[in-house]
Amino acid sequence: MARPRAPRAPAIAGAIARILGMGASVVLLANLIYESVNWAKTLGLSVTVAVVALVVDGSELMGVLDSTRTIPRASEPCVACGDVLVLCLAIPSVFLIMLSNDREGTPDEPYPWEGTDALSLAVTFAICGLRFLLLIWSCVDCCYAIRRPRGPENRLAPVDSHDELRDVPPIH
């Protein structure tokens, strides 16, 4: 039986969520680079959050958007572990950004980088919220995968299987 040509709604929603996650990571990374170049402030944990989120989202997005199915997708638990890693790095990063401007006494005038810190904080909160939603989605997806019956059409066959070779048309 041939696969339907139209993509499934969960796959479209997952791709949109991963694209939003990649966009937020790029904005965070660009903002942190701007802050580092202009004011020599390095928030290493926040940079790590952005890079790890880009890797996790990029790998999952490539697997979802590959229509030829030549790029193998990571398993649901592996993607969930990546999302947990990003969330576990992002939560302390929020506190690191908030405490990076902590100084003795009351400031007379604001720091010049307070706007970029506010943007970094807002984007990091957005990354945390998106990761939380993706983790809930991953848990539901894992539970669905566990309960899914594994019939002969759902089982993975080895590469040298005769069933797989029969589907390939002869080359002339």
Side-chain angles (χ1 to χ4, degrees), residues 13 18-19 28 34 51 68 75 91-92 114 121-122 153 165-166:
R18 295 294 173 176
I19 289 170
L28 179 62
Y34 174 78
V51 171
T68 62
S75 65
I91 290 172
E114 283 185 14
L121 194 60
E153 66 276 352
L165 295 176
R166 259 189 288 184

Side-chain angles (χ1 to χ4, degrees), residues 75-76 142 144-157:
S75 65
E76 292 92 355
C142 284
Y144 179 72
I146 289 171
R147 292 182 176 211
R148 188 178 322 148
R150 301 290 270 173
E153 66 276 352
N154 290 339
R155 287 203 181 108
L156 296 176

Side-chain angles (χ1 to χ4, degrees), residues 66-151:
D66 182 30
S67 62
T68 62
R69 304 226 184 228
T70 55
I71 300 173
R73 286 185 65 186
S75 65
E76 292 92 355
C78 181
V79 174
C81 287
D83 288 334
V84 166
L85 177 66
V86 172
L87 189 62
C88 288
L89 289 172
I91 290 172
S93 175
V94 167
F95 296 111
L96 180 71
I97 294 169
M98 288 192 298
L99 296 176
S100 68
N101 292 327
D102 193 29
R103 54 185 162 169
E104 307 270 332
T106 59
D108 291 336
E109 59 184 62
Y111 284 125
W113 56 77
E114 283 185 14
T116 56
D117 276 352
L119 179 63
S120 294
L121 194 60
V123 172
T124 306
F125 273 128
I127 288 173
C128 286
L130 183 65
R131 290 299 152 183
F132 184 72
L133 292 175
L134 286 170
L135 277 173
I136 291 173
W137 185 325
S138 295
C139 290
V140 169
D141 200 22
C142 284
C143 291
Y144 179 72
I146 289 171
R147 292 182 176 211
R148 188 178 322 148
R150 301 290 270 173

Side-chain angles (χ1 to χ4, degrees), residues 50-70:
V51 171
V52 171
L54 279 172
V55 170
V56 171
D57 287 338
S59 64
E60 179 64 8
L61 192 61
M62 288 300 111
V64 168
L65 296 180
D66 182 30
S67 62
T68 62
R69 304 226 184 228
T70 55

